[in-house]
Amino acid sequence: MEVECRTCHCGPAGAEKPNVILYAILSQKGHTSSSYQPQAQHVCQCEGRKTVRLRDPMRTCQAASGVLVKTVSFVRNLPSFGLLPREDQLMLLEVCWAPLFLLGLAQEKVGFEVIETRAPSMLKRILLDGRGPSPEPERSQPTMAGVQRLQSCLSKIWSLDLSPKEYAYLKGAVLFNPDVPCLQTSVYIESLQLEAHRALQEVLLPQHPSDQSRFARILLSASTLRAIPPALISDLFFRPIIGDADIVELVMEMLYMQ
C-alpha cells in the first residue's frame, strides 16, 4: 500500500487525494484497539523528478565538446566506415553517436556534478499567465534520475579499467550495429561488428587470461549506454553552448567536414 507524502504530495500515481481532515476524523473513530497497525512505508520519487543542470557548465561543456570531436574523428578515420554507403553512414551515426560519446566520456574520465534548477515561482506563473506574447514551448530538462542512471553507466565502464585498445574495439562494436533499421548493407555491417568482437577478445586473452567473463561484462556494460536517451545527453552537455541547434545535424556536419 502506498501512502501520500505529506511534504512533496507525490502520492500514488493516478490516485485521487482524499479529504485529509475528513479522513483523519473517520480513521480515529472505532479504532480503539491497542493492537499495533504497521504503517506503510512511502518511497518518495520526487527527488528523481527534480530538474538539474551542470554545476560547472563552462568546464564540463568544454570537455564534452572535445570528446564529441574525438568521437566523430574516430568514426571518420575508420576505413571500413568510409566504404559504407553514405545513407548507412548517416543512419549508423544518428543512432550510435550517443553511446559512442559516452564511451569517449568514460575514456577521457570526464566527471561532472549537477545542481537542482529553480522552477518559476507560483506567483510568477500566475502573473505571466495569459499576458504578453505566447510563451515558447518549454525545453526538456535533465532530471536527477536520468543523470544518476548516466553516472551509474559511466561508473560501470570505469570499474572495468579498459585499455585504449579495448575502448577502440568496443567503439567499433557499438558503431557497427546491424540492428539499425533500413540499412542497405546490414549483412556487411554485422560482419564488421563480429570482427570488432573478435579483435576485442584477442586483446583480452593475453591481458586477462584468468578472467573468462570480462568480454561478456564489457559488452553488457556497453549495452546499458544505449538506454541513455540522446536527448538527455544533448540537454545536459550541449544545450548550454548550442542552444536550440540539433546536435545530430551538428554531428553530421562534423563527420563530413574537410
Side-chain angles (χ1 to χ4, degrees):
M1 182 178 72
E2 295 187 71
V3 179
E4 179 186 6
C5 177
R6 296 181 180 275
T7 57
C8 63
H9 307 290
C10 60
E16 295 184 359
K17 293 182 174 60
N19 185 307
V20 178
I21 298 177
L22 179 61
Y23 179 80
I25 294 174
L26 293 176
S27 63
Q28 291 177 1
K29 293 184 178 181
H31 291 280
T32 57
S33 172
S34 60
S35 60
Y36 173 71
Q37 297 292 330
Q39 298 295 318
Q41 294 297 317
H42 170 69
V43 179
C44 178
Q45 298 181 357
C46 293
E47 185 72 21
R49 296 192 189 106
K50 290 180 179 178
T51 58
V52 295
R53 63 177 178 85
L54 294 170
R55 179 181 293 275
D56 187 354
M58 182 175 296
R59 181 192 67 81
T60 307
C61 289
Q62 183 177 4
S65 298
V67 170
L68 186 63
V69 170
K70 290 183 179 180
T71 299
V72 177
S73 178
F74 168 82
V75 173
R76 186 172 56 234
N77 292 328
L78 286 175
S80 52
F81 183 83
L83 295 175
L84 296 174
R86 187 184 180 97
E87 292 77 9
D88 282 5
Q89 293 179 8
L90 294 175
M91 284 188 287
L92 284 177
L93 196 56
E94 181 177 359
V95 172
C96 301
W97 77 266
L100 286 174
F101 167 78
L102 291 178
L103 281 176
L105 211 65
Q107 185 173 12
E108 298 294 325
K109 293 183 170 55
V110 178
F112 62 93
E113 296 181 355
V114 295
I115 56 176
E116 183 182 353
T117 56
R118 293 181 176 228
S121 67
M122 183 61 69
L123 176 60
K124 184 176 180 180
R125 290 179 180 177
I126 294 173
L127 292 176
L128 294 179
D129 185 29
R131 299 187 181 185
S134 300
E136 298 179 359
E138 292 188 5
R139 295 176 180 172
S140 59
Q141 295 287 335
T143 63
M144 180 64 75
V147 170
Q148 288 175 342
R149 285 196 299 270
L150 191 159
Q151 291 177 325
S152 176
C153 289
L154 290 178
S155 295
K156 290 178 182 178
I157 299 293
W158 283 329
S159 69
L160 295 168
D161 195 21
L162 301 177
S163 68
K165 283 188 176 181
E166 287 174 311
Y167 270 114
Y169 294 132
L170 182 56
K171 289 176 184 177
V174 170
L175 173 63
F176 296 118
N177 181 2
D179 296 326
V180 173
C182 303
L183 291 172
Q184 299 178 25
T185 57
S186 58
V187 175
Y188 176 58
I189 290 171
E190 184 176 15
S191 70
L192 292 175
Q193 187 182 67
L194 293 175
E195 184 179 331
H197 286 169
R198 284 194 296 268
L200 179 58
Q201 287 178 310
E202 290 175 1
V203 170
L204 293 177
L205 189 59
Q207 293 184 355
H208 306 275
S210 60
D211 192 350
Q212 301 297 322
S213 65
R214 183 172 175 83
F215 177 71
R217 286 188 286 113
I218 289 176
L219 294 186
L220 180 61
S221 297
S223 69
T224 63
L225 301 179
R226 294 193 179 97
I228 303 299
L232 170 63
I233 299 171
S234 177
D235 291 337
L236 185 64
F237 296 109
F238 300 110
R239 190 68 60 205
I241 53 179
I242 68 173
D244 292 326
D246 189 336
I247 184 65
V248 175
E249 292 183 3
L250 178 61
V251 169
M252 301 305 179
E253 291 178 7
M254 293 168 61
L255 178 64
Y256 298 110
M257 187 182 301
Q258 297 297 329

